[in-house]
Amino acid sequence: MVYKTKITVKPLSLILSTAMSKISYSIKKKEGALIKDPVMLVKSYPKMHVTVDCAIFGFDDNELKVLLIRSDLEIYKDLWSLLGDNIADDEDIDAAAYRILKDRTGMQDVYLEQVKVFSKPDRHPGGRVITIAYCTLLNTRHHELMIHDNEIHWHSFSSIDEMAFDHKEILLASYQWLQKRIQEHPLGFNLLPEKFSLRELQTLYEAILGVTLDRRNFRKKFASMKLLIDTNEFEGDVPHRPGKLYKFNFEKYEKQKNRWTGIDF
Amino acid sequence: MVYKTKITVKPLSLILSTAMSKISYSIKKKEGALIKDPVMLVKSYPKMHVTVDCAIFGFDDNELKVLLIRSDLEIYKDLWSLLGDNIADDEDIDAAAYRILKDRTGMQDVYLEQVKVFSKPDRHPGGRVITIAYCTLLNTRHHELMIHDNEIHWHSFSSIDEMAFDHKEILLASYQWLQKRIQEHPLGFNLLPEKFSLRELQTLYEAILGVTLDRRNFRKKFASMKLLIDTNEFEGDVPHRPGKLYKFNFEKYEKQKNRWTGIDF
DNA sequence: TTCGTATCGTGTAAAGCATACACCTTTGTA
DNA sequence: TACAAAGGTGTATGCTTTACACGATACGAA
């Protein structure tokens, strides 16, 4: 079938730059003079609050899921939010995202990538806070949720309605990012158990891309990639003929990913 | 020829999350209690310096160019850096990027998109500063450089060696981002004059993608898109047979970009 | 004026890839 | 034992991509 991700690109838009004068380099006095003390320079810069928010996707029960917690702000009472936190003074932002994941799910070796910065001045009711959105994919079975005081839960992605802050917008951007990335790289395997049937794999792609795919062509495509290892084991617990279980050949993919050109459904 | 962008994806890597305890929400006292004052909560968060850096690409003389200024820090004497600035307290970050562009090049209606956040704690010698990288594309002929006290210059991309801060890394990330985006969307037209020959267009794609393309197939591909308007004018000032000049049909593209599936070289 | 050089402009055949499509097999359950 | 549910497989068709060459046009130099 004809299908490709449709990514909306920012138009060549007339975003009005707020009328304001230059605010930086005020420490610099003379034309052409070099600044000797970078620390003084940086101290003259304004500071702002920065957080990380993670859209944590899982796949279970043939559905795309997202891990959310209840907001602990009274004005967002009964609304859900992404998992987020501040960034420590000497912490790389990727490291902050990994830390959040580890604290909340116990998982360490996880797919994680930056999506986008969200910076509307009024996005947080407590003042100006910019946030860096991350997308992560994990197998819902392979971790233990760390239940803190906020209820942490897997939510069916399609059932999510209103959210706290601008987190609905962040979640949608992360989902579009995921739709695109899963066709560029074989990320889906991060959402599945180590051994999976081809039906599970296809259901995953169908759920994320929102399409239905022809079973024979889907199998042909993955067969031609030669990145699946046949385990010679079979599914159990299914009320029908069990399918074969496969593993993804991560090592082989790592070796040849320079030549990788994407999966095109 | 067989060619597709090769994007390096972040490996499922073992980035060690810095061992540290949770730092936020320290204002929250009781289990399950809701926070009434978001302003107090946000005030308890740490703050950091945030800047924007723009990788401004142009195309001239059959070459990809980048707009750079001399660093005004003594420790980076004689090194070049991207155009950047702080973000004002109530300024959206996209708006800050547009402002920088307008201040330095006088251009307002320009292609601009976020690339990535760079956040290594030691990336700035003056202290912890995170920066949000933007990529912009503009026609080198259509703007007036605002010469401030730093020399601002177009540099041939391929000739750039060392740069101030981590700007080389940012520039490379922006270039890879550009290589990928130019195959997903017809961005190249932002780098060309309004009217251009097919050879100029092909040279642009070849320069950005770093490949050579078959001329007949290239023309066939663009002809089949039906997004070029034949102006019935011809190049002048060329020491050979002049080619026809075309315009890009932006309106038609806007209408059908939902169905756009990319250009594949 | 002529020749050399650089680019313009064009078409086709072959290979490869994506698509559409159906039947028998295997397992579990009633 | 028969039914329900999914497993597993191949082929023909059309579309897309690729590889490839030659005459025409304009300019500049001799």
mmCIF file of all heavy atoms in Angstrom, chain D residues 9-22:
data_model
loop_
_atom_site.group_PDB
_atom_site.id
_atom_site.type_symbol
_atom_site.label_atom_id
_atom_site.label_comp_id
_atom_site.label_asym_id
_atom_site.label_seq_id
_atom_site.Cartn_x
_atom_site.Cartn_y
_atom_site.Cartn_z
ATOM 1 P P DT D 9 7.040 -19.968 5.593
ATOM 2 O OP1 DT D 9 8.105 -20.979 5.581
ATOM 3 O OP2 DT D 9 7.266 -18.589 6.066
ATOM 4 O "O5'" DT D 9 6.442 -19.897 4.120
ATOM 5 C "C5'" DT D 9 6.092 -21.107 3.479
ATOM 6 C "C4'" DT D 9 5.230 -20.815 2.287
ATOM 7 O "O4'" DT D 9 4.028 -20.120 2.698
ATOM 8 C "C3'" DT D 9 5.879 -19.904 1.230
ATOM 9 O "O3'" DT D 9 5.869 -20.616 0.009
ATOM 10 C "C2'" DT D 9 4.963 -18.681 1.166
ATOM 11 C "C1'" DT D 9 3.657 -19.268 1.657
ATOM 12 N N1 DT D 9 2.707 -18.287 2.214
ATOM 13 C C2 DT D 9 1.462 -18.210 1.641
ATOM 14 O O2 DT D 9 1.108 -18.909 0.702
ATOM 15 N N3 DT D 9 0.629 -17.279 2.215
ATOM 16 C C4 DT D 9 0.934 -16.442 3.274
ATOM 17 O O4 DT D 9 0.112 -15.657 3.707
ATOM 18 C C5 DT D 9 2.253 -16.585 3.829
ATOM 19 C C7 DT D 9 2.680 -15.744 4.986
ATOM 20 C C6 DT D 9 3.070 -17.495 3.284
ATOM 21 P P DG D 10 7.009 -20.439 -1.028
ATOM 22 O OP1 DG D 10 7.433 -21.812 -1.359
ATOM 23 O OP2 DG D 10 7.993 -19.421 -0.600
ATOM 24 O "O5'" DG D 10 6.211 -19.835 -2.271
ATOM 25 C "C5'" DG D 10 5.108 -20.539 -2.812
ATOM 26 C "C4'" DG D 10 4.552 -19.729 -3.959
ATOM 27 O "O4'" DG D 10 3.928 -18.532 -3.425
ATOM 28 C "C3'" DG D 10 5.606 -19.239 -4.974
ATOM 29 O "O3'" DG D 10 5.090 -19.494 -6.265
ATOM 30 C "C2'" DG D 10 5.723 -17.739 -4.685
ATOM 31 C "C1'" DG D 10 4.308 -17.428 -4.224
ATOM 32 N N9 DG D 10 4.156 -16.246 -3.391
ATOM 33 C C8 DG D 10 4.975 -15.819 -2.365
ATOM 34 N N7 DG D 10 4.543 -14.719 -1.793
ATOM 35 C C5 DG D 10 3.372 -14.401 -2.479
ATOM 36 C C6 DG D 10 2.469 -13.324 -2.299
ATOM 37 O O6 DG D 10 2.526 -12.412 -1.480
ATOM 38 N N1 DG D 10 1.413 -13.389 -3.216
ATOM 39 C C2 DG D 10 1.254 -14.371 -4.164
ATOM 40 N N2 DG D 10 0.185 -14.279 -4.942
ATOM 41 N N3 DG D 10 2.087 -15.381 -4.341
ATOM 42 C C4 DG D 10 3.120 -15.332 -3.466
ATOM 43 P P DT D 11 5.958 -19.239 -7.546
ATOM 44 O OP1 DT D 11 6.474 -20.522 -8.022
ATOM 45 O OP2 DT D 11 6.886 -18.129 -7.247
ATOM 46 O "O5'" DT D 11 4.851 -18.716 -8.561
ATOM 47 C "C5'" DT D 11 3.500 -18.557 -8.144
ATOM 48 C "C4'" DT D 11 2.936 -17.306 -8.783
ATOM 49 O "O4'" DT D 11 2.792 -16.247 -7.790
ATOM 50 C "C3'" DT D 11 3.815 -16.705 -9.878
ATOM 51 O "O3'" DT D 11 2.955 -16.201 -10.902
ATOM 52 C "C2'" DT D 11 4.510 -15.560 -9.174
ATOM 53 C "C1'" DT D 11 3.342 -15.071 -8.320
ATOM 54 N N1 DT D 11 3.690 -14.168 -7.202
ATOM 55 C C2 DT D 11 2.819 -13.143 -6.900
ATOM 56 O O2 DT D 11 1.787 -12.955 -7.510
ATOM 57 N N3 DT D 11 3.205 -12.337 -5.866
ATOM 58 C C4 DT D 11 4.356 -12.466 -5.116
ATOM 59 O O4 DT D 11 4.590 -11.678 -4.205
ATOM 60 C C5 DT D 11 5.227 -13.557 -5.478
ATOM 61 C C7 DT D 11 6.495 -13.773 -4.718
ATOM 62 C C6 DT D 11 4.858 -14.345 -6.484
ATOM 63 P P DA D 12 3.466 -16.093 -12.389
ATOM 64 O OP1 DA D 12 3.595 -17.449 -12.945
ATOM 65 O OP2 DA D 12 4.632 -15.191 -12.374
ATOM 66 O "O5'" DA D 12 2.289 -15.335 -13.133
ATOM 67 C "C5'" DA D 12 1.041 -15.092 -12.471
ATOM 68 C "C4'" DA D 12 0.730 -13.616 -12.521
ATOM 69 O "O4'" DA D 12 1.260 -12.948 -11.343
ATOM 70 C "C3'" DA D 12 1.322 -12.877 -13.732
ATOM 71 O "O3'" DA D 12 0.302 -12.037 -14.271
ATOM 72 C "C2'" DA D 12 2.498 -12.094 -13.135
ATOM 73 C "C1'" DA D 12 1.958 -11.779 -11.749
ATOM 74 N N9 DA D 12 2.966 -11.503 -10.712
ATOM 75 C C8 DA D 12 4.170 -12.123 -10.508
ATOM 76 N N7 DA D 12 4.840 -11.653 -9.483
ATOM 77 C C5 DA D 12 4.018 -10.653 -8.976
ATOM 78 C C6 DA D 12 4.154 -9.772 -7.888
ATOM 79 N N6 DA D 12 5.228 -9.772 -7.077
ATOM 80 N N1 DA D 12 3.162 -8.899 -7.666
ATOM 81 C C2 DA D 12 2.102 -8.909 -8.467
ATOM 82 N N3 DA D 12 1.848 -9.693 -9.525
ATOM 83 C C4 DA D 12 2.862 -10.549 -9.725
ATOM 84 P P DT D 13 0.586 -11.092 -15.470
ATOM 85 O OP1 DT D 13 -0.514 -11.269 -16.429
ATOM 86 O OP2 DT D 13 2.003 -11.298 -15.879
ATOM 87 O "O5'" DT D 13 0.451 -9.628 -14.847
ATOM 88 C "C5'" DT D 13 -0.583 -9.316 -13.894
ATOM 89 C "C4'" DT D 13 -0.372 -7.884 -13.473
ATOM 90 O "O4'" DT D 13 0.587 -7.832 -12.388
ATOM 91 C "C3'" DT D 13 0.174 -7.003 -14.592
ATOM 92 O "O3'" DT D 13 -0.665 -5.872 -14.752
ATOM 93 C "C2'" DT D 13 1.592 -6.654 -14.152
ATOM 94 C "C1'" DT D 13 1.517 -6.799 -12.633
ATOM 95 N N1 DT D 13 2.799 -7.173 -11.975
ATOM 96 C C2 DT D 13 3.146 -6.552 -10.794
ATOM 97 O O2 DT D 13 2.452 -5.715 -10.246
ATOM 98 N N3 DT D 13 4.340 -6.971 -10.247
ATOM 99 C C4 DT D 13 5.212 -7.915 -10.774
ATOM 100 O O4 DT D 13 6.253 -8.203 -10.198
ATOM 101 C C5 DT D 13 4.791 -8.511 -12.010
ATOM 102 C C7 DT D 13 5.670 -9.542 -12.668
ATOM 103 C C6 DT D 13 3.624 -8.124 -12.551
ATOM 104 P P DG D 14 -0.287 -4.719 -15.808
ATOM 105 O OP1 DG D 14 -1.527 -4.283 -16.482
ATOM 106 O OP2 DG D 14 0.868 -5.219 -16.584
ATOM 107 O "O5'" DG D 14 0.210 -3.514 -14.866
ATOM 108 C "C5'" DG D 14 -0.444 -3.264 -13.618
ATOM 109 C "C4'" DG D 14 0.374 -2.269 -12.827
ATOM 110 O "O4'" DG D 14 1.562 -2.933 -12.315
ATOM 111 C "C3'" DG D 14 0.878 -1.077 -13.649
ATOM 112 O "O3'" DG D 14 0.761 0.074 -12.829
ATOM 113 C "C2'" DG D 14 2.333 -1.451 -13.947
ATOM 114 C "C1'" DG D 14 2.723 -2.197 -12.687
ATOM 115 N N9 DG D 14 3.819 -3.164 -12.802
ATOM 116 C C8 DG D 14 4.046 -4.061 -13.811
ATOM 117 N N7 DG D 14 5.110 -4.810 -13.606
ATOM 118 C C5 DG D 14 5.601 -4.365 -12.389
ATOM 119 C C6 DG D 14 6.735 -4.795 -11.642
ATOM 120 O O6 DG D 14 7.551 -5.680 -11.913
ATOM 121 N N1 DG D 14 6.877 -4.078 -10.458
ATOM 122 C C2 DG D 14 6.034 -3.075 -10.042
ATOM 123 N N2 DG D 14 6.326 -2.501 -8.886
ATOM 124 N N3 DG D 14 4.966 -2.668 -10.732
ATOM 125 C C4 DG D 14 4.816 -3.354 -11.883
ATOM 126 P P DC D 15 0.985 1.527 -13.410
ATOM 127 O OP1 DC D 15 -0.223 2.318 -13.111
ATOM 128 O OP2 DC D 15 1.495 1.420 -14.800
ATOM 129 O "O5'" DC D 15 2.141 2.069 -12.477
ATOM 130 C "C5'" DC D 15 2.094 1.816 -11.075
ATOM 131 C "C4'" DC D 15 3.467 2.050 -10.499
ATOM 132 O "O4'" DC D 15 4.322 0.937 -10.827
ATOM 133 C "C3'" DC D 15 4.146 3.309 -11.044
ATOM 134 O "O3'" DC D 15 4.468 4.131 -9.926
ATOM 135 C "C2'" DC D 15 5.367 2.780 -11.806
ATOM 136 C "C1'" DC D 15 5.596 1.407 -11.186
ATOM 137 N N1 DC D 15 6.205 0.345 -12.059
ATOM 138 C C2 DC D 15 7.340 -0.327 -11.598
ATOM 139 O O2 DC D 15 7.825 -0.023 -10.506
ATOM 140 N N3 DC D 15 7.880 -1.300 -12.370
ATOM 141 C C4 DC D 15 7.330 -1.611 -13.545
ATOM 142 N N4 DC D 15 7.904 -2.594 -14.258
ATOM 143 C C5 DC D 15 6.168 -0.935 -14.031
ATOM 144 C C6 DC D 15 5.642 0.025 -13.263
ATOM 145 P P DT D 16 5.235 5.506 -10.119
ATOM 146 O OP1 DT D 16 4.741 6.431 -9.090
ATOM 147 O OP2 DT D 16 5.214 5.874 -11.562
ATOM 148 O "O5'" DT D 16 6.724 5.102 -9.728
ATOM 149 C "C5'" DT D 16 6.941 4.238 -8.629
ATOM 150 C "C4'" DT D 16 8.439 4.023 -8.462
ATOM 151 O "O4'" DT D 16 8.898 2.965 -9.344
ATOM 152 C "C3'" DT D 16 9.275 5.254 -8.795
ATOM 153 O "O3'" DT D 16 10.232 5.402 -7.759
ATOM 154 C "C2'" DT D 16 9.888 4.934 -10.154
ATOM 155 C "C1'" DT D 16 9.989 3.413 -10.112
ATOM 156 N N1 DT D 16 9.885 2.712 -11.438
ATOM 157 C C2 DT D 16 10.769 1.693 -11.710
ATOM 158 O O2 DT D 16 11.640 1.338 -10.945
ATOM 159 N N3 DT D 16 10.588 1.091 -12.934
ATOM 160 C C4 DT D 16 9.636 1.403 -13.882
ATOM 161 O O4 DT D 16 9.573 0.789 -14.934
ATOM 162 C C5 DT D 16 8.740 2.502 -13.526
ATOM 163 C C7 DT D 16 7.684 2.928 -14.493
ATOM 164 C C6 DT D 16 8.902 3.094 -12.343
ATOM 165 P P DT D 17 11.367 6.530 -7.779
ATOM 166 O OP1 DT D 17 11.632 6.910 -6.394
ATOM 167 O OP2 DT D 17 10.984 7.535 -8.797
ATOM 168 O "O5'" DT D 17 12.626 5.715 -8.327
ATOM 169 C "C5'" DT D 17 13.017 4.549 -7.632
ATOM 170 C "C4'" DT D 17 14.237 3.943 -8.309
ATOM 171 O "O4'" DT D 17 13.843 3.361 -9.564
ATOM 172 C "C3'" DT D 17 15.333 4.967 -8.614
ATOM 173 O "O3'" DT D 17 16.533 4.454 -8.048
ATOM 174 C "C2'" DT D 17 15.358 5.046 -10.148
ATOM 175 C "C1'" DT D 17 14.772 3.703 -10.567
ATOM 176 N N1 DT D 17 14.006 3.666 -11.864
ATOM 177 C C2 DT D 17 14.273 2.644 -12.759
ATOM 178 O O2 DT D 17 15.107 1.780 -12.557
ATOM 179 N N3 DT D 17 13.505 2.670 -13.903
ATOM 180 C C4 DT D 17 12.540 3.581 -14.235
ATOM 181 O O4 DT D 17 11.922 3.493 -15.280
ATOM 182 C C5 DT D 17 12.306 4.634 -13.244
ATOM 183 C C7 DT D 17 11.267 5.679 -13.520
ATOM 184 C C6 DT D 17 13.045 4.625 -12.118
ATOM 185 P P DT D 18 17.890 5.269 -8.128
ATOM 186 O OP1 DT D 18 18.721 4.878 -6.976
ATOM 187 O OP2 DT D 18 17.555 6.674 -8.398
ATOM 188 O "O5'" DT D 18 18.571 4.668 -9.434
ATOM 189 C "C5'" DT D 18 18.946 3.294 -9.436
ATOM 190 C "C4'" DT D 18 19.345 2.891 -10.834
ATOM 191 O "O4'" DT D 18 18.229 3.082 -11.718
ATOM 192 C "C3'" DT D 18 20.481 3.721 -11.418
ATOM 193 O "O3'" DT D 18 21.644 2.913 -11.388
ATOM 194 C "C2'" DT D 18 20.017 4.078 -12.838
ATOM 195 C "C1'" DT D 18 18.731 3.288 -13.012
ATOM 196 N N1 DT D 18 17.638 3.931 -13.784
ATOM 197 C C2 DT D 18 17.214 3.332 -14.944
ATOM 198 O O2 DT D 18 17.712 2.310 -15.378
ATOM 199 N N3 DT D 18 16.191 3.990 -15.591
ATOM 200 C C4 DT D 18 15.568 5.152 -15.191
ATOM 201 O O4 DT D 18 14.662 5.635 -15.851
ATOM 202 C C5 DT D 18 16.052 5.723 -13.959
ATOM 203 C C7 DT D 18 15.432 6.977 -13.442
ATOM 204 C C6 DT D 18 17.045 5.097 -13.321
ATOM 205 P P DA D 19 23.105 3.557 -11.532
ATOM 206 O OP1 DA D 19 24.042 2.820 -10.648
ATOM 207 O OP2 DA D 19 22.988 5.030 -11.424
ATOM 208 O "O5'" DA D 19 23.476 3.194 -13.031
ATOM 209 C "C5'" DA D 19 23.145 1.916 -13.558
ATOM 210 C "C4'" DA D 19 23.169 1.998 -15.071
ATOM 211 O "O4'" DA D 19 21.904 2.529 -15.541
ATOM 212 C "C3'" DA D 19 24.257 2.928 -15.625
ATOM 213 O "O3'" DA D 19 25.039 2.201 -16.563
ATOM 214 C "C2'" DA D 19 23.489 4.090 -16.244
ATOM 215 C "C1'" DA D 19 22.143 3.459 -16.576
ATOM 216 N N9 DA D 19 21.019 4.394 -16.580
ATOM 217 C C8 DA D 19 20.771 5.403 -15.690
ATOM 218 N N7 DA D 19 19.676 6.083 -15.945
ATOM 219 C C5 DA D 19 19.169 5.483 -17.078
ATOM 220 C C6 DA D 19 18.024 5.732 -17.852
ATOM 221 N N6 DA D 19 17.150 6.696 -17.575
ATOM 222 N N1 DA D 19 17.803 4.931 -18.918
ATOM 223 C C2 DA D 19 18.680 3.967 -19.184
ATOM 224 N N3 DA D 19 19.793 3.633 -18.533
ATOM 225 C C4 DA D 19 19.987 4.438 -17.480
ATOM 226 P P DC D 20 26.392 2.793 -17.092
ATOM 227 O OP1 DC D 20 27.294 1.652 -17.340
ATOM 228 O OP2 DC D 20 26.819 3.913 -16.227
ATOM 229 O "O5'" DC D 20 25.950 3.374 -18.502
ATOM 230 C "C5'" DC D 20 25.155 2.567 -19.371
ATOM 231 C "C4'" DC D 20 24.635 3.426 -20.483
ATOM 232 O "O4'" DC D 20 23.401 4.071 -20.060
ATOM 233 C "C3'" DC D 20 25.591 4.574 -20.883
ATOM 234 O "O3'" DC D 20 25.669 4.676 -22.288
ATOM 235 C "C2'" DC D 20 24.913 5.780 -20.284
ATOM 236 C "C1'" DC D 20 23.446 5.386 -20.528
ATOM 237 N N1 DC D 20 22.451 6.222 -19.826
ATOM 238 C C2 DC D 20 21.162 6.307 -20.352
ATOM 239 O O2 DC D 20 20.884 5.651 -21.362
ATOM 240 N N3 DC D 20 20.251 7.099 -19.750
ATOM 241 C C4 DC D 20 20.605 7.793 -18.661
ATOM 242 N N4 DC D 20 19.672 8.553 -18.106
ATOM 243 C C5 DC D 20 21.919 7.716 -18.111
ATOM 244 C C6 DC D 20 22.795 6.930 -18.723
ATOM 245 P P DA D 21 26.837 5.517 -22.943
ATOM 246 O OP1 DA D 21 28.074 4.749 -22.841
ATOM 247 O OP2 DA D 21 26.803 6.880 -22.392
ATOM 248 O "O5'" DA D 21 26.376 5.557 -24.476
ATOM 249 C "C5'" DA D 21 24.982 5.547 -24.812
ATOM 250 C "C4'" DA D 21 24.722 6.647 -25.808
ATOM 251 O "O4'" DA D 21 24.081 7.779 -25.142
ATOM 252 C "C3'" DA D 21 25.956 7.220 -26.505
ATOM 253 O "O3'" DA D 21 25.631 7.398 -27.889
ATOM 254 C "C2'" DA D 21 26.189 8.546 -25.788
ATOM 255 C "C1'" DA D 21 24.745 8.966 -25.512
ATOM 256 N N9 DA D 21 24.535 9.929 -24.436
ATOM 257 C C8 DA D 21 25.308 10.147 -23.326
ATOM 258 N N7 DA D 21 24.853 11.086 -22.541
ATOM 259 C C5 DA D 21 23.695 11.519 -23.165
ATOM 260 C C6 DA D 21 22.737 12.499 -22.848
ATOM 261 N N6 DA D 21 22.800 13.251 -21.752
ATOM 262 N N1 DA D 21 21.712 12.662 -23.711
ATOM 263 C C2 DA D 21 21.649 11.903 -24.797
ATOM 264 N N3 DA D 21 22.471 10.955 -25.211
ATOM 265 C C4 DA D 21 23.488 10.809 -24.340
ATOM 266 P P DC D 22 26.689 7.862 -28.961
ATOM 267 O OP1 DC D 22 26.879 6.724 -29.878
ATOM 268 O OP2 DC D 22 27.838 8.481 -28.277
ATOM 269 O "O5'" DC D 22 25.904 8.996 -29.743
ATOM 270 C "C5'" DC D 22 24.471 8.929 -29.851
ATOM 271 C "C4'" DC D 22 23.939 10.320 -30.031
ATOM 272 O "O4'" DC D 22 23.773 10.959 -28.734
ATOM 273 C "C3'" DC D 22 24.881 11.241 -30.825
ATOM 274 O "O3'" DC D 22 24.157 11.907 -31.843
ATOM 275 C "C2'" DC D 22 25.379 12.225 -29.775
ATOM 276 C "C1'" DC D 22 24.149 12.310 -28.867
ATOM 277 N N1 DC D 22 24.447 12.879 -27.523
ATOM 278 C C2 DC D 22 23.537 13.774 -26.957
ATOM 279 O O2 DC D 22 22.498 14.054 -27.582
ATOM 280 N N3 DC D 22 23.815 14.324 -25.748
ATOM 281 C C4 DC D 22 24.948 13.991 -25.121
ATOM 282 N N4 DC D 22 25.177 14.553 -23.936
ATOM 283 C C5 DC D 22 25.882 13.075 -25.676
ATOM 284 C C6 DC D 22 25.599 12.546 -26.871
#
